[in-house]
Amino acid sequence: MEEMGRLESINGLESFEDVSYVNQKPIGNNSRSKPGTYTGVFDLIRKCYADTEQAKNMQLSKAHFSFNSSKGQCLECSGLGEVSVNMHYMDDLYVYCNKCHGKRYCNEVLEVKRKNLSIGDLLDTEVHDLIEVFEEEKEIAQQLSMLDQVGLGYLKLGQSASTLSGGEAQRIKLAKELYKRECKSILYILDEPTTGLDEEDVEKVISVLTDLKEKGATIIVIEHNIKMIKACDYIIELGPTGGNQGGHITKVGYQSVSL
Ligand SMILES: [Zn+2]
């Protein structure tokens, strides 16, 4: 049997401009990593708040609307919205910050509203509700729609990255990829992108990937979901223990599936 991972050569790579491995690793491992900051959409939203008449009159800049900047953050919780309580022999307990009531910012910044939402409210609102709030800001609406299309409409931009599952982290990365790239001849590799999704959201992800394919991308998915497998042009089956460590490739077959 051939040793796995060692090849004499690979042919055909010149057909791809780039290879993108969209894995399930966390999008950040500190309490300041959030879906909003990771995707970059929060940066555009902060600018949007700073551009309001109200913010200009109060001389608040884009930096004031960052919960990571001491300019506008609640100084009690340093913009986290919660404070840790030392529990001695147990893990620290996090409780809502008494000063900003979980809103992360100082009162002055929270006074600035866009469609009745302060920037603190916005971080606590689900993505699918925000699409309507930003329907006039095309770039922001598009980025939010990408998150919704990969089945993450229920996420909040300010949600801590540590609360996200591997599948959710992977789909956030996918949404970011979809938005930032002029998707042409890129090879995408995804490891079980449908993990934890319900039927309806599986269909959304399939339709996003089909769009990518139509734009010229090639997508390899490692999958068990039958709907996703059915939507593929080719299937490579890696035997009964193909995915397990120490497993062998017992059968490799190419098969066209007609939709
Ligand atoms: Zn606070």
Side-chain angles (χ1 to χ4, degrees), residues 160-176:
S160 171
S162 59
T163 63
L164 303 170
S165 71
E168 286 171 332
Q170 185 186 39
R171 276 177 284 128
I172 289 176
K173 290 176 191 176
L174 183 62
K176 187 178 175 180

Side-chain angles (χ1 to χ4, degrees), residues 90-103:
M90 291 188 284
D91 286 344
D92 285 355
L93 185 74
Y94 284 87
V95 293
Y96 262 146
C97 168
N98 267 335
K99 192 164 181 206
C100 64
H101 304 286
K103 300 284 185 200

Side-chain angles (χ1 to χ4, degrees), residues 125-224:
T125 304
E126 293 185 2
V127 163
H128 51 72
D129 293 329
L130 290 180
I131 296 173
E132 205 182 304
V133 174
F134 290 102
E135 59 188 349
E136 285 143 38
E137 280 77 26
K138 213 173 147 219
E139 214 179 332
I140 297 175
Q142 271 179 352
Q143 286 210 35
L144 294 170
S145 301
M146 280 306 175
L147 285 167
D148 193 37
Q149 278 181 47
V150 295
L152 294 173
Y154 59 85
L155 275 193
K156 294 171 179 173
L157 294 182
Q159 203 169 322
S160 171
S162 59
T163 63
L164 303 170
S165 71
E168 286 171 332
Q170 185 186 39
R171 276 177 284 128
I172 289 176
K173 290 176 191 176
L174 183 62
K176 187 178 175 180
E177 278 289 324
L178 294 177
Y179 183 75
K180 78 173 187 198
R181 302 247 194 179
E182 265 300 308
C183 314
K184 289 195 178 137
S185 48
I186 294 170
L187 172 64
Y188 288 97
I189 303 170
L190 292 109
D191 189 0
E192 301 197 29
T194 62
T195 308
L197 289 184
D198 62 24
E199 290 279 297
E200 198 183 322
D201 285 336
V202 168
E203 276 168 26
K204 281 187 191 170
V205 173
I206 291 173
S207 115
V208 166
L209 295 178
T210 308
D211 280 354
L212 264 182
K213 190 190 87 171
E214 278 163 10
K215 284 179 182 166
T218 300
I219 302 140
I220 298 175
V221 286
I222 299 155
E223 257 308 344
H224 300 276

Side-chain angles (χ1 to χ4, degrees), residues 74 76-77 97 100:
C74 163
E76 185 75 23
C77 61
C97 168
C100 64

Side-chain angles (χ1 to χ4, degrees), residues 23 35 37 39 54 62 78 84 88 99 107 132-133 159 174 177 194 200 211 222 230 252 258:
N23 61 24
T37 47
T39 54
Q54 203 180 353
K62 191 178 156 192
S78 307
S84 64
H88 300 285
K99 192 164 181 206
N107 286 337
E132 205 182 304
V133 174
Q159 203 169 322
L174 183 62
E177 278 289 324
T194 62
E200 198 183 322
D211 280 354
I222 299 155
K230 192 167 178 265
V252 179
S258 49

